[in-house]
Amino acid sequence: MSEVISSSALMSVNAQFVRQRIGAGWLNFSPVTTWDGHRDSVVKAARTRGLEVTSVARTVMFWDGDQCVGGLEGLQPSLVSGLGRAISASKSKTRHVLQRSGVPMPEGQAFAAAQLGEAKAYMRSASADRFVVKPIDGSGGEGVTTGVTDEASLEAAWLSARRSSKKRVFLVEEEIPGLDIRVYVVDGTAVSAAVRVPPFLVGDGGSTVGELQAALVEARSRHAYLAAKKIIVDAEVLAVQGISGESVLPAGAVAFLNGTANVTRGGIAVDVTDSVAPEILRLAERTAAAVPGLSTSGVDILSLDLSHADQCRVIEINTSPNLSVHDFPAYGDSHDVAGHIVDAIIARARGHVSAGSPF
């Protein structure tokens, strides 16, 4: 899940990253001519390694001769245990395990839907100025509200969370500005890291926002993965930045088209595997190891700086994260996470589990 941009501080962090890492080359996406999709990427990697693939309904099985060595249930690899899946699927269970394990997380507390009064009291007593409200069983950013600062905005966030939650339990957490980093961990080792940012434009001093947007759509059409994802333009986000479709962006100025890095709304991924601080990768590995049976996962981290882990906060663990973030990034190199997953499945079946694995 990607948090929604709601403050000028967070916009500034992302804009600085775009200027430093991408800049004038913002329309020069990594060459991606074919896109296999999440599930098919893993299936392709299995077949490339000589495994036979069969499927029954949503279950995909990988065979080494007559032995079923693993597979996928939906989008989740067989490397994830039932307990690991249950903990990761619940934000409150994830928080309980990670906090007790000493993993740095935003301050927060869980409340039942009927405890709005208690949630208001918690906000009044907390040291943070801004909060995020999210259902414990939410996914894909649904029901998540950021920028909650008072009782009125908390009430609105409560209603949004109720509409997206079956369990009717919500987390109220401090909102922390930072880059949205997804680190993929396989058998105890961080194999890829990417920063996810909302769709953006970079001004040239002469083109309008509308003209830059058209150039962006045309450039994305040449990237097989991005071409399949539509850009959602949020007029409110444009207004917060003081621009409209007719505005001319100064040269080098960065403008965001909406407030979320989710790929379903046009967000993009920038590979940072070789430039992010090793301490951030180690934090992701430690986070994954804290959950029993979580031998493959995407760890979401917020950090103001990629050069150290001093202010990092872990916000979520995903057992079926989008592999295309790493295998088909908008900018940077592919790291074949699908291949790493299949290699780990094969090693597990043959009794060669790495030392970093939870089991």
Side-chain angles (χ1 to χ4, degrees):
M1 181 194 71
S2 298
E3 303 291 359
V4 178
I5 287 183
S6 62
S7 67
S8 59
L10 186 47
M11 281 187 177
S12 176
V13 170
N14 280 274
Q16 181 179 6
F17 174 80
V18 169
R19 284 193 295 267
Q20 292 177 344
R21 296 290 180 130
I22 302 167
W26 68 288
L27 293 175
N28 300 325
F29 295 115
S30 299
V32 176
T33 57
T34 59
W35 174 53
D36 300 313
H38 180 122
R39 186 180 174 110
D40 287 346
S41 291
V42 182
V43 168
K44 182 178 179 180
R47 287 178 171 145
T48 299
R49 287 156 175 77
L51 300 179
E52 180 187 354
V53 180
T54 63
S55 60
V56 177
R58 297 179 70 252
T59 302
V60 175
M61 291 162 278
F62 302 152
W63 298 83
D64 185 4
D66 291 330
Q67 180 187 7
C68 180
V69 296
L72 300 170
E73 177 62 27
L75 298 178
Q76 292 189 342
S78 53
L79 295 170
V80 180
S81 71
L83 180 60
R85 187 178 301 114
I87 292 173
S88 301
S90 167
K91 293 177 177 59
S92 60
K93 293 175 185 176
T94 298
R95 169 174 286 278
H96 175 75
V97 171
L98 296 188
Q99 281 189 321
R100 180 153 182 173
S101 300
V103 173
M105 300 188 72
E107 293 296 323
Q109 189 170 322
F111 299 92
Q115 294 180 303
L116 177 58
E118 288 87 341
K120 290 179 179 179
Y122 170 75
M123 277 184 51
R124 289 193 295 268
S125 64
S127 58
D129 297 322
R130 303 175 68 89
F131 297 86
V132 180
V133 176
K134 58 182 76 171
I136 66 165
D137 54 342
S139 63
E142 291 189 12
V144 177
T145 302
T146 60
V148 176
T149 58
D150 53 29
E151 292 190 2
S153 56
L154 177 62
E155 290 172 0
W158 219 250
L159 289 175
S160 176
R162 286 179 69 98
R163 288 192 293 267
S164 303
S165 174
K166 294 181 179 179
K167 296 190 175 181
R168 297 291 194 269
V169 178
F170 315 136
L171 282 178
V172 179
E173 292 182 342
E174 64 173 324
E175 180 177 324
I176 299 176
L179 295 171
D180 181 346
I181 309 169
R182 162 68 59 77
V183 181
Y184 206 101
V185 180
V186 179
D187 258 355
T189 300
V191 298
S192 184
V195 169
R196 300 175 295 178
V197 299
F200 61 86
L201 310 172
V202 178
D204 59 13
S207 301
T208 66
V209 166
E211 291 168 340
L212 293 172
Q213 184 184 337
L216 173 61
V217 171
E218 197 280 328
R220 285 170 66 107
S221 71
R222 299 190 296 272
H223 186 287
Y225 176 55
L226 295 179
K229 305 297 180 183
K230 297 181 68 173
I231 302 172
I232 305 300
V233 179
D234 188 328
E236 292 186 9
V237 171
L238 294 183
V240 167
Q241 299 168 90
I243 59 176
S244 67
E246 292 71 41
S247 302
V248 174
L249 288 184
V254 177
F256 295 101
L257 296 177
N258 66 52
T260 174
N262 278 338
V263 296
T264 56
R265 294 176 59 85
I268 59 94
V270 184
D271 176 62
V272 295
T273 306
D274 298 328
S275 57
V276 70
E279 293 81 9
I280 294 179
L281 301 181
R282 303 295 86 78
L283 171 60
E285 293 169 353
R286 181 161 64 92
T287 300
V291 180
L294 201 64
S295 293
T296 177
S297 62
V299 180
D300 292 347
I301 299 172
L302 289 177
S303 178
L304 288 171
D305 194 332
L306 294 180
S307 65
H308 58 78
D310 296 348
Q311 296 178 312
C312 284
R313 295 293 183 272
V314 174
I315 58 173
E316 192 163 303
I317 301 175
N318 300 273
T319 57
S320 55
N322 182 4
L323 301 186
S324 297
V325 166
H326 306 281
D327 289 352
F328 304 96
Y331 307 96
D333 299 326
S334 168
H335 288 274
D336 190 23
V337 170
H340 283 289
I341 291 172
V342 176
D343 287 340
I345 288 174
I346 294 172
R348 178 69 53 87
R350 296 174 179 172
H352 303 302
V353 181
S354 70
S357 173
F359 296 114

